Amino acid sequence: MEKKKVPTSIKDQQLIEKRRNQMIKGAVNLFKEKGFHRTTTREIAKASGFSIGTLYEYIRTKEDVLFLVCDSIYERVKERMEQAIDMEKQSISSLKNAVRSYFQLIDDMQDEVIVMYQEVKSLPKDAQEYVMQKEKDMVHMLERVIQNSLPYDLSDKEITLIANNIFVQGQMWSFRRWILQKDFTLEEYIEKQLSLLFQMLNLDEHVTKIKG
Amino acid sequence: MEKKKVPTSIKDQQLIEKRRNQMIKGAVNLFKEKGFHRTTTREIAKASGFSIGTLYEYIRTKEDVLFLVCDSIYERVKERMEQAIDMEKQSISSLKNAVRSYFQLIDDMQDEVIVMYQEVKSLPKDAQEYVMQKEKDMVHMLERVIQNSLPYDLSDKEITLIANNIFVQGQMWSFRRWILQKDFTLEEYIEKQLSLLFQMLNLDEHVTKIKG
Amino acid sequence: MEKKKVPTSIKDQQLIEKRRNQMIKGAVNLFKEKGFHRTTTREIAKASGFSIGTLYEYIRTKEDVLFLVCDSIYERVKERMEQAIDMEKQSISSLKNAVRSYFQLIDDMQDEVIVMYQEVKSLPKDAQEYVMQKEKDMVHMLERVIQNSLPYDLSDKEITLIANNIFVQGQMWSFRRWILQKDFTLEEYIEKQLSLLFQMLNLDEHVTKIKG
Amino acid sequence: MEKKKVPTSIKDQQLIEKRRNQMIKGAVNLFKEKGFHRTTTREIAKASGFSIGTLYEYIRTKEDVLFLVCDSIYERVKERMEQAIDMEKQSISSLKNAVRSYFQLIDDMQDEVIVMYQEVKSLPKDAQEYVMQKEKDMVHMLERVIQNSLPYDLSDKEITLIANNIFVQGQMWSFRRWILQKDFTLEEYIEKQLSLLFQMLNLDEHVTKIKG
DNA sequence: AATGAATGAGCGTTCATTCAT
DNA sequence: CATGAATGAACGCTCATTCAT
């Protein structure tokens, strides 16, 4: 898929990158604290370290900021997932590693994940679709890991479902932190979810069976 | 927990109830369509069938409307979950029924579920906690069903985790509809999730094992 | 032609009329001084005697104010022209009276005429057409007076041209005041223009010939 | 009258002239399309073929551009009027030629004439007076032609009035095009106006009397 | 108890102008 | 001389909230 471009009146590509990174950094913090709608463009400009006029040299609308933020989060998540998932030698343990890395990464980016999940709907339709596509790509990565790791075959639907479950269980660690993070450490959470997963997949040679 | 009260200047309790129901009905539709922030108080008043002045006789702030709406949705969800879960005779099949009913109900109230999950963060802190408590109550219900249905014992943590997983898999049917509902019918989704769940719980006598 | 309606959220028709008159009065003065573009909506609100919020209860856009102003000016001009032109007993002297009244009226409404002539182009297309139609109506009135007053026949084109000439000579008294009003009093201007007109129409029994 | 100078920080006179001509050319088209206020300095710079920074090396304010444009238009109009009016051998037919040329020229420069008449009011006071002076000069030229062409004497006031009428009838062809140019071709318009003029001046040996 | 006109703080956005490079 | 990134005052407009009737 084509990278969606946000128009700007600035010509220096490096400067665009630099300023937009400032912007994203500033905006994520604000969105996390008060949400997209309650954050003003002036606050974004200030948090980014430049004036409101300069902000608008690099975007057209406030929604562009949100898009830039979402896009950057996905990009970073995807990048890290790709690193974590070594597609060469796939085995049960590589599935385990992939899931672990994914959960780890969600934990690192908790705030970003929350921002994304609460604000994508504020994006204009086309940007929403673009972002959904990215999410589909990520679920797809999980699907492939599962498929390649299992010593037996599962139907596509089952794989899809399991991948989505894992994906959402990751996000859940962020957006249900108020209920989960008082009962579980990250490690516990990861190991318990993995244990359930492997139980489900009948791959429990490596983990204690839920019920003996 | 005490029912959270929204102050009003009106004395007649019946009238308050009536007007607030009009309000919730009108507002929920608007929130579904355009979200809380994009909906104006005038629109809410109009959709409720009275004037902006009257609206403000029954609430103090716009956020009160959101709270009323969220509260009402939770109430309805909880009510239906309670009906679905027959706590008397608990068995494996009653767990199955409970999960089925829960997924069914989420499907019925898709829009409402989305409204809730996208807008709670706009609630003032105290209302957020109130609503979170309700959600905890609901997860608790699931926990009890699981505990009472299983022919063996699981640790509290495992039960909590499984309950949360089920809970979120329900919500996922709503807020990931764009990815799930093109691949699955509701029935398929329910049965496949149940199948995975029972596999995980080693209760697969009733369902085909994922892998023989 | 249908009267173009400017939407408002106010229900009380009398109040609308009252507030809009305040608005028009305030706005004409400002437009006259600094032009439409240099006048801010806050200034209009202030000059109208109410807040910016109230201003926008009675209009949708700043351009609506301009339209209201233009419409009101035309309405007043047209009204006075209609009074001045007694269509019953048309004669040479009634033509004279009509022109005199028209010039008189332009003098009374100098500022308004200037506002109109400098700002109509700032109106949105549809409002421009509406206003042009009104102007055509007014030229038409002059055409009829000419036609009915003359003791002989003129071609339609000649009548159109003469009517337009008179019409513009009127306006010219306003928008070329800096060149005309230092050489002529209004009476002089009227009588001299009438004299030239009657010379042109060969109706000079009542006026001294330009050249004896 | 002294030529009004627009300050610049550039030394090279030829370059100034060159750049300003680029500027006028670009700006006039933009002003035609969208008016002075709706045109941005960036657009002017772009249309002129250089950067916004460079634009501001050759002017101090946006209004300077407008002045340069108006000045240039007046200059061109005046120049052509001077060519058209041969002051040597003045006769009735030279009056006719002068008027014809003037109308012709207005037709050629319709858009420019409209720009001028709609935007002069946006000029600063001193520039307005400068431009008004130019217009007085032009009316003066018409006055002299009339005076020198007539076989009899007219009072100064009569001459002034007739000159202004002619002048405005020319402009009218531009700014009332929506009403005139659907009924008249330019030739028709010229001949009919000339016919009325000569009737008025009792110079109708060459044209059919309006009424025999 | 119901109405709806009034308010004004505050929003997103623009654009003339400056000035370091 | 030329560039274009940076600035921020100012704009048009919205909408939650109040309060006189």
Side-chain angles (χ1 to χ4, degrees), chain C residues 135 157 176 188 199-200, chain D residues 135 157 176 188 199:
Chain C
E135 192 164 319
K157 289 210 170 174
R176 293 179 76 75
E188 264 182 312
Q199 180 91 20
M200 191 178 80
Chain D
E135 192 163 320
K157 289 209 172 176
R176 294 179 75 75
E188 262 181 314
Q199 181 90 19

Side-chain angles (χ1 to χ4, degrees), chain D residues 3 35 54 61 90 104 111 121 125 147 150 173 200 205-206:
Chain D
K3 189 159 175 59
T54 302
T61 68
Q90 299 269 339
Q104 197 71 251
D111 292 326
K121 66 147 195 322
K125 271 272 123 35
Q147 190 156 40
L150 288 186
W173 178 248
M200 193 177 79
E205 55 265 34
H206 302 286

Side-chain angles (χ1 to χ4, degrees), chain D residues 115-177:
Chain D
V115 164
M116 282 224 19
Y117 279 86
Q118 298 195 324
E119 310 295 0
V120 237
K121 66 147 195 322
S122 299
L123 245 26
K125 271 272 123 35
D126 62 331
Q128 262 180 58
E129 270 155 31
Y130 174 85
V131 151
M132 259 149 49
Q133 186 53 52
K134 291 225 165 150
E135 192 163 320
K136 280 183 193 161
D137 292 351
M138 277 158 45
V139 175
H140 230 77
M141 289 173 60
L142 281 178
E143 287 173 351
R144 267 175 310 160
V145 183
I146 295 167
Q147 190 156 40
N148 296 335
S149 305
L150 288 186
Y152 53 85
D153 279 350
L154 283 180
S155 75
D156 284 356
K157 289 209 172 176
E158 272 161 339
I159 292 179
T160 296
L161 199 57
I162 293 168
N164 272 282
N165 282 351
I166 294 172
F167 194 76
V168 168
Q169 278 158 16
Q171 294 171 189
M172 170 173 145
W173 178 248
S174 291
F175 64 72
R176 294 179 75 75
R177 53 162 84 160

Side-chain angles (χ1 to χ4, degrees), chain B residues 9-208:
Chain B
S9 60
I10 306 300
K11 307 287 165 204
D12 183 339
Q13 273 303 321
Q14 288 208 346
L15 196 52
I16 295 178
E17 187 118 348
K18 183 184 155 197
R19 291 276 180 263
R20 286 197 174 160
N21 283 336
Q22 289 177 267
M23 233 163 73
I24 290 165
K25 213 168 184 173
V28 106
N29 286 321
L30 289 167
F31 292 170
K32 271 185 222 174
E33 275 172 51
K34 20 184 7 198
F36 173 69
H37 280 105
R38 294 202 188 316
T39 302
T40 68
T41 50
R42 277 165 166 73
E43 286 171 323
I44 296 171
K46 193 170 186 185
S48 310
F50 38 72
S51 73
I52 181 70
T54 302
L55 180 74
Y56 272 87
E57 294 288 332
Y58 293 88
I59 52 159
R60 281 163 318 159
T61 68
K62 191 185 169 192
E63 280 167 348
D64 281 346
V65 181
L66 180 56
F67 173 74
L68 254 18
V69 164
C70 289
D71 194 38
S72 131
I73 296 176
Y74 264 119
E75 218 54 58
R76 279 194 289 158
V77 173
K78 207 174 157 187
E79 207 173 285
R80 282 195 47 179
M81 273 186 76
E82 274 160 357
Q83 283 169 14
I85 297 173
D86 187 351
M87 284 301 181
E88 306 292 326
K89 40 177 172 71
Q90 300 268 340
S91 69
I92 290 174
S93 83
S94 74
L95 171 59
K96 213 183 278 182
N97 284 334
V99 174
R100 257 200 266 264
S101 301
Y102 169 62
F103 281 15
Q104 196 71 251
L105 126 76
I106 291 280
D107 186 63
D108 286 353
M109 299 182 67
Q110 277 188 58
D111 291 326
E112 281 85 354
V113 169
I114 289 178
V115 165
M116 282 224 18
Y117 280 85
Q118 298 196 325
E119 309 296 359
V120 238
K121 66 143 196 325
S122 298
L123 246 25
K125 270 271 122 37
D126 62 331
Q128 262 181 58
E129 271 155 29
Y130 174 85
V131 149
M132 259 148 50
Q133 186 53 54
K134 291 224 163 150
E135 192 162 319
K136 281 182 193 160
D137 293 349
M138 280 160 42
V139 175
H140 231 76
M141 290 172 60
L142 281 179
E143 286 174 351
R144 268 175 308 159
V145 184
I146 296 168
Q147 189 154 40
N148 295 336
S149 305
L150 288 187
Y152 54 84
D153 279 350
L154 283 180
S155 75
D156 285 356
K157 289 211 170 173
E158 274 160 339
I159 292 180
T160 296
L161 200 55
I162 295 169
N164 272 283
N165 282 350
I166 295 173
F167 195 76
V168 168
Q169 278 158 15
Q171 295 172 189
M172 170 173 143
W173 178 249
S174 292
F175 64 73
R176 292 178 75 74
R177 53 163 82 159
W178 52 276
I179 200 171
L180 291 173
Q181 300 195 18
K182 69 177 193 355
D183 284 344
F184 298 86
T185 64
L186 175 62
E187 285 67 36
E188 261 181 314
Y189 183 72
I190 293 178
E191 295 314 318
K192 287 251 183 293
Q193 286 286 27
L194 270 178
S195 159
L196 291 176
L197 176 65
F198 277 56
Q199 181 90 20
M200 193 178 78
L201 295 173
N202 254 338
L203 299 170
D204 35 9
E205 55 266 32
H206 301 285
V207 290
T208 319

Side-chain angles (χ1 to χ4, degrees), chain C residues 9-210:
Chain C
S9 61
I10 302 300
K11 305 191 171 178
D12 182 336
Q13 274 304 321
Q14 290 205 348
L15 198 53
I16 295 177
E17 187 119 346
K18 182 182 154 197
R19 292 275 178 266
R20 287 197 171 161
N21 283 336
Q22 290 177 264
M23 227 165 77
I24 290 165
K25 215 165 182 173
V28 162
N29 285 320
L30 290 165
F31 293 170
K32 174 196 328 182
E33 273 172 49
K34 22 190 352 201
F36 174 70
H37 281 107
R38 292 204 188 312
T39 302
T40 71
T41 51
R42 278 172 193 33
E43 286 171 325
I44 297 172
K46 195 168 187 185
S48 311
F50 36 71
S51 72
I52 181 69
T54 300
L55 178 71
Y56 273 90
E57 294 284 339
Y58 293 89
I59 52 159
R60 282 163 320 160
T61 67
K62 192 187 169 190
E63 282 169 346
D64 280 347
V65 181
L66 180 56
F67 174 74
L68 251 21
V69 165
C70 290
D71 195 38
S72 129
I73 297 175
Y74 264 120
E75 218 55 58
R76 280 192 287 158
V77 173
K78 206 172 160 188
E79 205 174 287
R80 283 194 46 179
M81 273 185 76
E82 272 159 359
Q83 283 169 14
I85 298 173
D86 187 350
M87 285 301 184
E88 304 292 326
K89 42 181 171 71
Q90 300 266 340
S91 69
I92 290 174
S93 82
S94 74
L95 169 59
K96 212 184 281 183
N97 283 334
V99 173
R100 253 200 269 264
S101 301
Y102 168 62
F103 280 19
Q104 196 72 251
L105 129 78
I106 291 277
D107 184 64
D108 286 353
M109 300 182 67
Q110 276 187 58
D111 292 326
E112 283 84 353
V113 169
I114 288 179
V115 166
M116 280 230 21
Y117 270 79
Q118 299 197 323
E119 308 297 356
V120 230
K121 64 122 194 352
S122 298
L123 245 25
K125 268 270 125 37
D126 61 331
Q128 259 179 62
E129 269 154 32
Y130 174 85
V131 154
M132 277 176 188
Q133 185 52 53
K134 291 229 162 147
E135 192 164 319
K136 280 183 193 159
D137 293 349
M138 278 160 46
V139 175
H140 227 76
M141 288 173 60
L142 282 178
E143 287 174 350
R144 267 175 314 163
V145 183
I146 297 168
Q147 189 154 41
N148 295 335
S149 306
L150 289 186
Y152 53 85
D153 280 348
L154 284 180
S155 76
D156 284 355
K157 289 210 170 174
E158 272 158 340
I159 291 178
T160 295
L161 199 57
I162 295 168
N164 272 284
N165 282 350
I166 295 173
F167 194 77
V168 168
Q169 278 158 16
Q171 295 173 344
M172 167 175 147
W173 177 248
S174 293
F175 68 71
R176 293 179 76 75
R177 53 162 79 160
W178 50 277
I179 200 170
L180 291 173
Q181 299 193 19
K182 70 177 190 357
D183 285 343
F184 297 84
T185 64
L186 174 63
E187 285 66 38
E188 264 182 312
Y189 184 71
I190 293 178
E191 295 314 316
K192 287 253 183 291
Q193 286 286 26
L194 269 177
S195 160
L196 291 177
L197 175 66
F198 276 57
Q199 180 91 20
M200 191 178 80
L201 294 173
N202 251 343
L203 298 169
D204 35 10
E205 56 266 32
H206 302 285
V207 290
T208 321
K209 267 199 152 190
I210 259 188

Side-chain angles (χ1 to χ4, degrees), chain A residues 144-205:
Chain A
R144 268 176 312 165
V145 183
I146 297 167
Q147 191 155 40
N148 296 335
S149 305
L150 290 185
Y152 53 85
D153 279 350
L154 284 179
S155 74
D156 285 355
K157 289 210 172 174
E158 274 159 338
I159 293 178
T160 295
L161 200 56
I162 294 168
N164 272 283
N165 282 350
I166 295 172
F167 194 76
V168 168
Q169 279 159 16
Q171 294 174 343
M172 170 173 144
W173 176 250
S174 291
F175 66 72
R176 291 179 78 74
R177 52 160 82 158
W178 51 277
I179 201 170
L180 291 172
Q181 300 193 19
K182 72 176 186 2
D183 286 342
F184 298 83
T185 64
L186 175 62
E187 285 67 37
E188 264 182 310
Y189 183 72
I190 294 177
E191 294 314 318
K192 288 253 181 292
Q193 287 285 29
L194 269 179
S195 161
L196 292 177
L197 176 65
F198 276 57
Q199 181 89 20
M200 192 178 81
L201 294 173
N202 254 342
L203 299 169
D204 34 13
E205 56 267 31

Side-chain angles (χ1 to χ4, degrees), chain A residues 98-113:
Chain A
V99 173
R100 255 199 269 265
S101 300
Y102 169 60
F103 281 17
Q104 196 72 251
L105 133 75
I106 290 280
D107 186 63
D108 287 352
M109 300 181 67
Q110 278 186 56
D111 292 326
E112 282 83 355
V113 170

